[in-house]
Amino acid sequence: MKPSSLLEVRGLTMRFGGIVANNDVSFDVADGSITALIGPNGAGKTTVFNCLTGFYRASGGTIHLATAAGAPVEVGSLLDKPFIGGSYLVARAGIARTFQNIRLFREMSVVENLLVAQHQRLDRNVLAGALGTRKFRQTERDGLARAFHWLEVMGLTADANRLAGELPYGRQRRLEIARAMCTGPRLVCLDEPAAGLNPRETHELSELIRTLRSEHRVTVLLIEHDMSLVMGISEHIVVLDHGEVIAAGNPETIRSSPAVIAAYLGAEEAEVEGGEGTR
Amino acid sequence: MDWHILAQQLVNGLTLGSIYGLIAIGYTMVYGIIGMINFAHGDVYMVSAYLTAIAIAVLTGFGIDSAPFAIVITLALTMFITGVYGWSIERVAYRPLRGSTRLAPLISAIGISLVLQNYVQLSQGAKPQGVPTLVSGTVRLGTETNFVQMTYIQILIVVVSFAAMAALTWIIRSTSLGRQCRATQQDRKMAAILGIDTDRIISTVFVIGAAMAAIAGVLVTLNYGSFDFFIGFVTGIKAFTAAVLGGIGSLPGAMLGGILLGLFESLFSGFVNTDYKDVFSFALLVLVLIFRPSGLLGRPEVEKV
């Protein structure tokens, strides 16, 4: 792996029976960058996310994540580990995500949604809990403190004890990002974070994503259809069409790439550049 | 109407109901987390009755005759070993089938149920077994002819059951483990994406269910003194009824359903007919399913995206 990369995807292929959703997808995500994955509907962007985050086991190819410890881990091999393998190891390795169709624990309170994401750090010992040991109370307090920190960042403090399912849509989106951050990730994957948000909320979101990177030192990979958002905040853009990478580069390169313009069928160049939705 | 008979039936019903409630917890938690009915659960309860007898025999062999001490040790041992049974059953019979059709683990559960019954029958004999009375004595209220009585064992059953249910409620509501269980129940895949080892949580749920059944097994054995390899069937079906009555998947529902079923059954046998009490219980189940399919505290199934 290149030392500057946090994530290296090589030859990623995902087949569902006869349907090839991703074919030989390769790209890098630089450490500390904001990288966007764009493409027309059905291009296979979410499938890439599902493979990265261990939601699916890729049919072929490798996904390497650099770790603080040194040797990079391969996401697929985490899933395949005998007896103990599973998606949860991917989260523990440092990849967190949000979903296009929000997947909160709707029947848990807002703060519980954040606590449950931190259990890797919280003491899991029931006996320690029953006895109320000092370490147990300390870790619970730390967990709560972290949860409330993120509620504050997201402006959700007042909603802490409401059920997650009761929140308005925009707040659910922010809560989902907060929950992903509570797992303590190195890479956070946001799947269409601006979907359904109004222009003001979208603007706040782009500020938030910048903050995540600058203040919380997390690398961001996002799927987004809102071109003004993507062009405004990302340093590197990967374009998928029909499951394959058709272009990659900085916003300038992508904006002027004929392959990209052609992929957005019927989309004028102005729309790719502009703020009006290509959605 | 004789009020003391009513009160007596309520006392009996409460005792029976807390046993149903304890066993129903195993059904409801397993259903909540992996959506299957663990038909072997009743037989896990049956195994715990045998373990109780073995534990008491061993303790008596060591010359321990203090009843409270013997009961505590028996409870601990039986809960532990039954928990190991619960864990192994999930590991051997259900986990390999995860991701296959919904029916597969159900059939596997019936298989495990048969295996347990036959294994106990072979190793312990088909004849009913018994344990000596460890605790005797009653509390009586009322006059010489009109009284309500509750044996010490009945009091023990109610106290221990409620304590166990309260402890479990606390674990599920307020601990990290409980949060992980609820998260796994609501969206297993999402829980895994957040770093929760969902397989481990599912195993834990089986262990909790088995341990609760073990408490019931110890208490019932101490109360009735006699059991055989087939007791798991009817009791299991009754506890399952209780879980459905309360709303399967809901933990408070299982406890409430158990206690209500015990009360109804006891009142029915006290005032109407003892022979038809099972018919009554199952008729109640049918009525609940017709008029409130999701049970008393259950929520209607929501289609997950």
Side-chain angles (χ1 to χ4, degrees), chain B residues 129-278:
Chain B
Q129 310 272 331
V131 293
T133 310
L134 279 183
V135 182
S136 55
T138 56
V139 180
R140 257 184 208 191
L141 289 175
T143 62
E144 200 62 33
T145 46
N146 292 339
F147 57 82
V148 178
Q149 72 169 16
M150 200 170 183
T151 64
Y152 288 159
I153 284 284
Q154 281 182 316
I155 295 172
L156 185 75
I157 288 177
V158 174
V159 170
V160 173
S161 307
F162 277 74
M165 291 179 192
L168 186 61
T169 306
W170 175 78
I171 288 176
I172 295 298
R173 272 218 194 127
S174 318
T175 67
S176 170
L177 175 70
R179 280 193 296 268
Q180 292 177 60
C181 286
R182 281 180 291 144
T184 308
Q185 170 166 3
Q186 284 178 39
D187 190 340
R188 196 197 315 164
K189 199 73 196 182
M190 187 66 233
I193 293 290
L194 290 173
I196 295 171
D197 184 352
T198 47
D199 278 340
R200 204 183 125 260
I201 295 296
I202 292 169
S203 291
T204 311
V205 162
F206 271 85
V207 171
I208 291 175
M212 290 290 148
I215 297 177
V218 172
L219 294 172
V220 169
T221 308
L222 290 175
N223 191 20
Y224 292 114
S226 132
F227 53 87
D228 61 42
F229 68 94
F230 204 61
I231 56 165
F233 181 72
V234 172
T235 314
I237 296 277
K238 285 282 181 59
F240 173 61
T241 305
V244 174
L245 182 67
I248 193 141
S250 153
L251 184 60
M255 301 172 188
L256 179 71
I259 288 164
L260 285 181
L261 186 71
L263 288 173
F264 285 139
E265 197 177 304
S266 180
L267 289 174
F268 185 87
S269 27
F271 291 101
V272 187
N273 188 316
T274 315
D275 296 332
Y276 285 95
K277 69 177 172 29
D278 292 353

Side-chain angles (χ1 to χ4, degrees), chain A residues 134-238:
Chain A
R134 187 180 294 169
K135 185 171 171 249
F136 176 84
R137 279 175 298 163
Q138 184 60 45
T139 47
E140 281 285 316
R141 265 201 302 275
D142 290 350
L144 271 175
R146 196 172 289 109
F148 275 95
H149 167 73
W150 280 105
L151 288 178
E152 206 185 315
V153 172
M154 299 291 167
L156 293 168
T157 314
D159 299 312
N161 290 316
R162 289 176 71 185
L163 286 186
E166 289 175 351
L167 291 186
Y169 186 81
R171 290 180 188 207
Q172 291 198 10
R173 281 237 171 264
R174 274 181 281 158
L175 177 58
E176 211 189 14
I177 297 174
R179 186 179 62 177
M181 292 306 298
C182 275
T183 63
R186 307 189 69 208
L187 173 68
V188 62
C189 304
L190 308 175
D191 194 346
E192 297 204 25
L197 299 188
N198 63 37
R200 188 178 53 81
E201 287 173 322
T202 305
H203 177 71
E204 286 169 6
L205 178 74
S206 60
E207 289 306 311
L208 174 70
I209 293 174
R210 286 205 183 94
T211 316
L212 291 184
R213 189 257 303 266
S214 59
E215 285 178 30
H216 302 283
R217 299 173 177 286
V218 63
T219 305
V220 180
L221 176 64
L222 78 154
I223 293 177
E224 191 44 69
H225 283 297
D226 187 323
M227 284 306 142
S228 63
L229 175 71
V230 168
M231 295 295 170
I233 64 170
S234 25
E235 284 117 29
H236 186 71
I237 298 177
V238 178

Side-chain angles (χ1 to χ4, degrees), chain B residues 97 100-109:
Chain B
L97 295 173
S100 68
T101 67
R102 248 174 116 86
L103 224 49
L106 208 69
I107 293 164
S108 169

Side-chain angles (χ1 to χ4, degrees), chain A residues 26-108:
Chain A
S26 299
F27 63 92
D28 289 358
V29 176
D31 197 4
S33 70
I34 296 177
T35 303
L37 194 59
I38 65 169
N41 284 326
K45 304 180 295 289
T46 298
T47 309
V48 169
F49 260 35
N50 285 340
C51 294
L52 294 187
T53 52
F55 212 69
Y56 294 157
R57 174 73 177 94
S59 324
T62 58
I63 303 161
H64 280 100
L65 177 77
T67 59
V73 291
E74 207 277 302
V75 167
S77 71
L78 292 177
L79 301 181
D80 292 342
K81 267 191 188 171
F83 300 110
I84 58 156
S87 313
Y88 72 99
L89 289 176
V90 180
R92 292 183 185 184
I95 301 183
R97 76 173 289 183
T98 65
F99 286 82
Q100 190 178 341
N101 48 345
I102 304 168
R103 282 177 81 159
L104 291 167
F105 300 116
R106 301 177 61 85
E107 284 163 27
M108 290 167 86

Side-chain angles (χ1 to χ4, degrees), chain B residues 6-77:
Chain B
L6 177 65
Q8 184 64 60
Q9 291 309 327
L10 288 177
V11 165
N12 296 348
L14 187 64
T15 317
L16 185 65
S18 24
I19 295 293
Y20 287 159
L22 279 178
I23 305 174
I25 287 169
Y27 283 106
T28 215
M29 285 184 77
V30 165
Y31 181 84
I33 209 150
I34 54 174
M36 73 164 277
I37 309 293
N38 179 13
F39 276 118
H41 190 59
D43 297 289
V44 169
Y45 156 79
M46 175 273 292
V47 167
S48 74
Y50 278 85
L51 290 170
T52 306
I54 294 169
I56 290 177
V58 169
L59 289 174
T60 319
F62 281 125
I64 293 164
D65 47 9
S66 143
F69 185 68
I71 289 172
V72 169
I73 298 287
T74 306
L75 258 179
L77 272 179

